[in-house]
Amino acid sequence: MSSKSAAAILQRQFKDLTDPKKGIPSFHIELDDDNIFLWNIGIMVLNKESMYHGGYFKGQMRFPSEFPFAPPTFRFTPAIYHPNVYRDGRLCISILHQGGDPTSDEPDSETWTPAQTVESVLISIISLLEDPNVSSPANIDASVELRKNPEAYKKRVLQEVERSKQDIPADFIMPESELYAYGSGNAHGKEAEHEPVDEDFWYDSDDESFDEESLMDDMDDGDDDEEEEEDEEDVDMAAK
């Protein structure tokens, strides 16, 4: 897949995730210097029973030019104290690992596939914060402390939650209720008004749009830019 096609898919997913009526309030997303392949993401846990509630955890997601046929990477900036986060902030989670690795003991059903989206990855990250995988730790000290001294672990996490509040953007209003988690409200914690959405909303009439399923079919057929241009010419001739 060309980087142009990957950029188009990412542009569509970025618009979905940042639209006030469709976005997920648990995440505050911006592009890094307008680079569609590099996203700055603030992660918030809206479950009030969670020890991570109230925190604003900054991270950065980097996408390869082969996306969605290759997974992105995610790094917390700064790193957080968590069994599945390396000391440099890199996140260790199955969904971001390339499937089909014979040396890995991870089932392919849990690893990356082209059907995954940025949204599914972000929701998986929230789930991992709430439910660490201590059997395959990236930070052994955090994993051991969570199992043997959970109160000390919780104290450390709560300290990081307080520190993270310093990273909340000045003009950003933190969502307050899990009622609005996972797409049921907007980024400001206010319930979204559900209105009909035009299927062509994300692209102006003169913009080039891409269908993700068609792109995957094109890859199977050995698609390239020249063949796409020829197909478009054939359609024009048929219309005439």
Side-chain angles (χ1 to χ4, degrees):
M1 173 175 290
S2 69
S3 60
K4 181 179 179 182
S5 299
I9 292 173
L10 286 170
Q11 187 69 36
R12 174 173 293 181
Q13 294 191 22
F14 176 77
K15 288 183 177 180
D16 276 343
L17 287 167
T18 56
D19 180 78
K21 296 180 180 179
K22 298 179 67 176
I24 303 176
S26 300
F27 312 105
H28 178 56
I29 306 172
E30 296 178 331
L31 299 183
D32 187 283
D33 197 25
D34 292 328
N35 182 357
I36 194 62
F37 290 96
L38 190 60
W39 296 17
N40 293 323
I41 303 173
I43 294 180
M44 297 152 282
V45 177
L46 302 184
N47 175 14
K48 292 184 177 180
E49 302 301 318
S50 171
M51 67 180 77
Y52 290 93
H53 177 72
Y56 184 92
F57 302 100
K58 293 196 307 179
Q60 194 168 73
M61 187 174 286
R62 186 180 298 272
F63 299 89
S65 59
E66 298 84 9
F67 184 85
F69 295 95
T73 60
F74 185 89
R75 180 192 300 267
F76 282 100
T77 55
I80 64 172
Y81 188 66
H82 188 279
N84 304 116
V85 178
Y86 291 102
R87 295 185 185 278
D88 64 356
R90 287 179 297 122
L91 178 67
C92 182
I93 184 172
S94 297
I95 197 174
L96 294 182
H97 295 164
Q98 189 75 55
D101 184 356
T103 65
S104 173
D105 58 357
E106 296 174 326
D108 287 346
S109 61
E110 297 179 6
T111 56
W112 178 263
T113 70
Q116 300 287 0
T117 64
V118 180
E119 179 176 334
S120 64
V121 171
L122 292 177
I123 292 175
S124 295
I125 292 174
I126 286 284
S127 298
L128 190 67
L129 286 179
E130 299 272 43
D131 186 21
N133 180 6
V134 295
S135 63
S136 180
N139 185 328
I140 296 177
D141 291 342
S143 178
V144 170
E145 186 167 59
L146 175 59
R147 287 185 284 110
K148 295 187 175 181
N149 194 347
E151 287 303 315
Y153 177 85
K154 181 177 180 180
K155 182 178 179 180
R156 175 76 175 266
V157 170
L158 292 177
Q159 290 174 343
E160 291 198 343
V161 167
E162 288 303 310
R163 187 221 60 78
S164 72
K165 293 178 181 179
Q166 301 174 12
D167 294 328
I168 300 174
D171 58 347
F172 180 72
I173 301 175
M174 289 281 285
E176 296 180 356
S177 172
E178 63 267 28
L179 173 65
Y180 303 107
Y182 308 131
S184 60
N186 63 28
H188 297 287
K190 300 177 182 178
E191 187 172 3
E193 297 178 2
H194 299 285
E195 299 177 357
V197 178
D198 184 351
E199 293 181 357
D200 297 323
F201 174 79
W202 302 128
Y203 292 92
D204 294 330
S205 59
D206 58 348
D207 285 342
E208 182 178 9
S209 62
F210 292 82
D211 179 81
E212 295 175 32
E213 294 184 0
S214 297
L215 282 170
M216 285 186 271
D217 292 339
D218 289 342
M219 283 292 294
D220 294 335
D221 297 334
D223 174 57
D224 59 33
D225 291 340
E226 291 182 0
E227 290 175 341
E228 290 179 359
E229 291 177 0
E230 291 175 0
D231 290 342
E232 292 175 0
E233 291 177 359
D234 292 339
V235 171
D236 290 340
M237 289 294 293
K240 294 177 180 180

